Amino acid sequence: MAKLSRRDFLKLSALASSTLFIPKFLTPLQAKDISELIGSDSNKKLVIIQLSGGNDGLNTIIPYNNDVYYQGRETISVAKNNVIKINDELGFNPAMAKLKELYDSGYVSVINSVGYPNPNRSHFRSMDIWQTASDSDKYLNSGWIGRYLDSECADCKNPYNAIEVSDTLSLAMKGIKYNGLAVEDPQKFFLSSSENFFTDIAGIGKTKKDDHENVSYLYKTVVEATSSADYVYKTSKIYKSKLDYPKGQFAANLKTIAELIVSNIDSKVFYISLSGFDTHVNQKARQDALLKELSEGIHSFTTDLKQNNKLDDTLVMTFSEFGRRVTQNASNGTDHGTANNIIMINGALKKPGFYNAAPDLSDLDNGDLKYKIDFRTVYANVLNKWLGANDEAILGQKFKSLDII
């Protein structure tokens, strides 16, 4: 293959774009040594669960003794006698019984009223803000996990150091120099990258220096993709869970992450999404089903890790791009709001339970919750205390400390 044809170039681009983000061919990545690790503690893992669409935090963690909650939600509120009560103010949605079991074991911490100044109600823009950790009036092209890889991975060039279990890579996982790896099924990813065409290209890419910058970058990308695919697939075969996970893609993706963690993969960060939380219409049944899927999937996942002595070294964090408005709309749903809750799960939390007070429904900002904790404060603590990284360098400013992990 002396010269790359246009058809071959497009085929090569397809594999690269489905596995790695290519930042306009600006910074070619070098071929990697798959034995390299990142971070200060190779045992600790971070699992980020994105609840896409804007989960309604008030019907997730319910202020069941607050009259304002019931007055504003005549048809979609959760009846007081159905709430899984935690204390005199707050309780879980009844669909989250499995998460309550983890809470009772001391594995769950809930942070209320999380948001950011001057919130944006657009799904796309607010998700960008959460994924890049930017101010609401600033636009960044790199994600907070991607910049973690940039900062902590100076001598480490392995895309699988951060794995998104999906067929596309989120902005959160894209750095300036380094990026995570998007792989939904390790076996399919391996088989796809093992086609003769791609193995030939990888072989050429290890030695060839193409005059065209874009083609040269693609060669190097495919070298990384094929090498990572081989490593991830071989690692995924070490441990196969016999635990009975719930049906559905979300639980299947969590099972994939559990198998990789128990197999001692060198990855530090895992990213997964559960979508469908944009509940403008007929919210109650839809959100309940999603919260049940979330709760039961996490319960199986943590049980798997606990049985294999990995739960203490794994931190799970959920987030959504915004919460919903306090008052329901005319379609038995809720519209885009602002502040929300974050749930953190770990086998050795310093402060399990509710980290802070319930949202103040008597002090609203034009009908919306006021944020009390900047979401980047949570990120800073995860970066610093859990991953051992320089949070100020990654986030661009210093945030206060939280005593949770």
Side-chain angles (χ1 to χ4, degrees):
M1 190 178 291
K3 186 174 180 61
L4 196 67
S5 68
R6 182 177 182 275
R7 177 179 294 180
D8 289 339
F9 178 80
L10 293 174
K11 188 175 182 182
L12 190 58
S13 300
L15 174 69
S17 63
S18 67
T19 56
L20 296 172
F21 171 70
I22 303 174
K24 301 180 182 178
F25 307 102
L26 291 177
T27 314
L29 303 178
Q30 303 299 316
K32 60 183 181 350
D33 173 2
I34 65 174
S35 66
E36 292 173 315
L37 301 176
I38 67 174
S40 62
D41 183 346
S42 62
N43 292 321
K44 288 190 174 180
K45 312 294 184 185
L46 171 65
V47 179
I48 302 169
I49 301 177
Q50 173 182 303
L51 308 180
S52 301
N55 178 43
D56 179 17
L58 287 177
N59 269 22
T60 302
I61 307 297
I62 301 158
Y64 69 90
N65 258 340
N66 194 307
D67 291 338
V68 177
Y69 167 75
Y70 288 103
Q71 290 166 2
R73 298 182 170 214
E74 293 183 359
T75 62
I76 70 165
S77 60
V78 178
K80 185 179 296 189
N81 61 347
N82 291 333
V83 174
I84 303 176
K85 298 177 179 62
I86 301 297
N87 56 32
D88 291 339
E89 292 185 275
L90 297 170
F92 285 117
N93 185 293
M96 304 175 72
K98 287 295 185 180
L99 196 68
K100 172 60 162 54
E101 291 182 17
L102 299 179
Y103 183 95
D104 290 342
S105 297
Y107 300 155
V108 176
S109 181
V110 179
I111 310 174
N112 292 307
S113 307
V114 182
Y116 56 90
N118 304 311
N120 191 294
R121 289 176 177 81
S122 161
H123 286 293
F124 301 106
R125 177 60 190 142
S126 190
M127 186 60 79
D128 279 356
I129 291 168
W130 276 82
Q131 292 194 4
T132 63
S134 70
D135 293 336
S136 61
D137 61 347
K138 294 181 180 178
Y139 292 80
L140 301 179
N141 293 322
S142 61
W144 72 287
I145 295 299
R147 295 198 301 277
Y148 160 70
L149 296 177
D150 289 342
S151 173
E152 303 299 315
C153 235
D155 298 319
C156 169
K157 308 166 184 69
N158 303 321
Y160 58 76
N161 278 313
I163 293 178
E164 181 162 3
V165 184
S166 174
D167 57 358
T168 56
L169 198 65
S170 297
L171 177 56
M173 306 283 275
K174 301 171 184 177
I176 298 171
K177 297 182 294 182
Y178 304 119
N179 308 285
L181 182 72
V183 49
E184 191 163 40
D185 184 305
Q187 182 177 18
K188 289 181 180 178
F189 180 39
F190 172 73
L191 292 175
S192 175
S193 67
S194 298
E195 293 180 16
N196 288 338
F197 172 79
F198 295 117
T199 55
D200 289 347
I201 289 294
I204 294 170
K206 291 177 181 178
T207 58
K208 178 178 174 61
K209 196 167 185 179
D210 200 285
D211 293 333
H212 196 292
E213 183 182 11
N214 290 6
V215 175
S216 177
Y217 186 86
L218 280 172
Y219 275 130
K220 293 172 182 178
T221 300
V222 172
V223 169
E224 293 205 341
T226 54
S227 180
S228 293
D230 180 69
Y231 172 74
V232 172
Y233 175 57
K234 287 179 178 177
T235 304
S236 72
K237 295 192 296 182
I238 295 174
Y239 168 72
K240 288 298 181 183
S241 177
K242 293 181 172 57
L243 196 67
D244 187 19
Y245 278 72
K247 294 180 180 179
Q249 191 60 55
F250 176 71
N253 290 346
L254 282 175
K255 184 177 182 180
T256 295
I257 295 174
E259 290 176 342
L260 291 172
I261 290 175
V262 176
S263 296
N264 291 318
I265 195 167
D266 288 347
S267 310
K268 297 286 290 184
V269 181
F270 300 87
Y271 200 97
I272 184 176
S273 297
L274 178 61
S275 60
F277 286 94
D278 194 17
T279 50
H280 290 280
V281 179
N282 298 325
Q283 171 177 307
K284 203 166 185 305
R286 183 176 175 185
Q287 190 197 22
D288 287 355
L290 288 167
L291 292 178
K292 186 174 188 291
E293 186 176 3
L294 174 71
S295 176
E296 293 183 352
I298 290 176
H299 186 274
S300 293
F301 176 72
T302 53
T303 299
D304 211 348
L305 295 183
K306 181 69 175 177
Q307 291 177 353
N308 290 279
N309 299 313
K310 295 292 185 180
L311 185 55
D312 287 3
D313 289 328
T314 303
L315 176 66
V316 180
M317 180 182 76
T318 73
F319 83 95
S320 197
E321 66 263 39
F322 44 63
R324 317 295 292 191
R325 292 183 69 81
V326 174
T327 302
Q328 71 177 74
N329 60 29
S331 301
N332 292 319
T334 50
D335 296 326
H336 301 175
T338 54
N340 209 340
N341 42 58
I342 283 180
I343 298 175
M344 305 188 81
I345 302 162
N346 173 252
L349 290 172
K350 287 185 178 179
K351 188 175 180 180
F354 286 99
Y355 178 77
N356 54 348
D360 187 353
L361 302 189
S362 66
D363 183 22
L364 302 178
D365 183 7
N366 193 29
D368 281 319
L369 298 174
K370 292 182 179 179
Y371 87 97
K372 302 295 183 183
I373 295 179
D374 193 305
F375 75 97
R376 292 165 295 184
T377 299
V378 181
Y379 287 3
N381 282 264
V382 169
L383 289 166
N384 187 304
K385 293 188 175 183
W386 190 256
L387 296 175
N390 185 336
D391 58 289
E392 186 172 3
I394 294 168
L395 299 177
Q397 55 184 299
K398 190 67 179 175
F399 292 92
K400 68 178 183 179
S401 178
L402 300 177
D403 192 26
I404 295 177
I405 54 177

